[in-house]
Amino acid sequence: LGYIYCSPSLDDISAFLINNLSCPSTRCQRSRIPMKTAQNNENDVSDQDLTTNSSENANYARMVVIFGRPGAGKTTIANRATSYLQDKCYLELDLDVCVPQWMRDNFGKGIYPTLQQRNAFAEEACIYVKNEVDRKNSQDYSEGKLIVLVSFSFVNTDLREIFRQAFPDAQWALVDTTNSEADQRIRHREGHFYTGAPAAAVNEKGNDRDNSEWEFASVSFEHTILPGTDSVEENAKRVSR
């Protein structure tokens, strides 16, 4: 975290992280989005029709969050889905662009971000999405008509809860793959900062710690299933309907 003296408070550290994350298009305009602690709810998971309209207060027609294990094929599905939206106004956002370099480097070292770092990242990502939606609307005069596709792993419950609080009308679509399927895809892709969970995770001081944060958390809210065994084409059609 740089040079920090006199035992800084958690608020000071959080502010530092937020001001130094490198999510694009958000450095000039920042509006703080309240963060919400994840709650343990009973599983209430069911398939959902992605054609459902969004909230009346949103400045877009629909937002679909495509999430799942790293290597599940989320971005591939999102990219393909845009081919079915050519007659509509759409915006595709991959939140990997919001992952700062220091966090990418830590992933490579087997160091997973702390809860506080994840909170700061999630808040920054929410600001990025909001700003990109506003930018697209101002360019295309598409307010109220825009279809937004967001892809990101959202491995941890806390990340999901912050994003759901910022965009409560978003519809979530889980690319449902097994660990082995996702790991195989990770091994074959090139140029991505995430190369998989380490055999033994370490913290920032180099000590062993619980490896559970790397694991994809179960989903306890309503979402649509995109079967990982189905083709990219089939899942893209489901997202774009």
Side-chain angles (χ1 to χ4, degrees):
L1 297 180
Y3 297 98
I4 300 177
Y5 302 95
C6 301
S7 301
S9 67
L10 292 178
D11 289 340
D12 291 333
I13 297 174
S14 181
F16 177 87
L17 289 168
I18 291 169
N19 289 329
N20 285 275
L21 289 173
S22 56
C23 191
S25 306
T26 61
R27 291 178 179 172
C28 295
Q29 296 180 348
R30 295 181 182 274
S31 56
R32 188 156 182 90
I33 298 175
M35 292 187 291
K36 178 181 178 181
T37 302
Q39 297 178 352
N40 293 324
N41 298 322
E42 293 183 0
N43 288 345
D44 182 17
V45 179
S46 62
D47 285 348
Q48 177 183 355
D49 184 0
L50 294 182
T51 59
T52 304
N53 195 39
S54 296
S55 167
E56 295 179 358
N57 297 324
N59 57 347
Y60 47 83
R62 181 160 56 100
M63 177 183 290
V64 179
V65 179
I66 304 171
F67 72 123
R69 290 181 174 83
K74 304 172 294 295
T75 303
T76 303
I77 292 172
N79 287 340
R80 185 57 183 156
T82 62
S83 66
Y84 296 101
L85 300 174
Q86 296 303 309
D87 60 338
K88 303 180 185 298
C89 186
Y90 69 87
L91 177 64
E92 181 192 0
L93 299 174
D94 182 354
L95 298 191
D96 278 355
V97 302
C98 292
V99 180
Q101 189 59 50
W102 64 264
M103 191 179 288
R104 294 170 183 241
D105 293 342
N106 278 354
F107 276 126
K109 299 173 185 176
I111 301 173
Y112 199 78
T114 64
L115 174 61
Q116 192 162 14
Q117 290 169 341
R118 295 198 303 269
N119 283 346
F121 163 81
E123 183 173 342
E124 187 79 7
C126 290
I127 296 171
Y128 168 66
V129 172
K130 178 183 180 298
N131 286 348
E132 289 299 297
V133 168
D134 289 345
R135 180 187 60 80
K136 181 70 173 178
N137 282 331
S138 66
Q139 288 180 346
D140 299 342
Y141 306 101
S142 57
E143 186 163 350
K145 302 177 182 178
L146 185 63
I147 297 174
V148 184
L149 302 180
V150 176
S151 58
F152 191 65
S153 294
F154 287 101
V155 169
N156 306 102
T157 301
D158 45 85
L159 293 172
R160 301 168 192 169
E161 289 305 310
I162 291 173
F163 200 87
R164 291 181 68 214
Q165 183 186 24
F167 303 99
D169 55 324
Q171 300 147 13
W172 291 66
L174 173 65
V175 184
D176 191 19
T177 58
T178 64
N179 278 326
S180 59
E181 290 169 341
D183 288 344
Q184 183 177 11
R185 292 173 183 171
I186 288 174
R187 287 194 296 270
H188 286 87
R189 68 182 180 185
E190 298 180 357
H192 198 279
F193 64 87
Y194 187 90
T195 57
V202 296
N203 60 24
E204 292 176 335
K205 295 181 180 180
N207 301 320
D208 291 342
R209 72 173 186 187
D210 184 7
N211 203 18
S212 61
E213 289 181 314
W214 292 79
E215 298 174 2
F216 190 81
S218 61
V219 185
S220 60
F221 53 84
E222 204 168 293
H223 63 283
T224 296
I225 295 293
L226 303 177
T229 53
D230 285 0
S231 68
V232 170
E233 200 75 24
E234 289 175 297
N235 282 327
K237 287 179 181 179
R238 291 186 179 102
V239 169
S240 60
R241 289 194 194 107

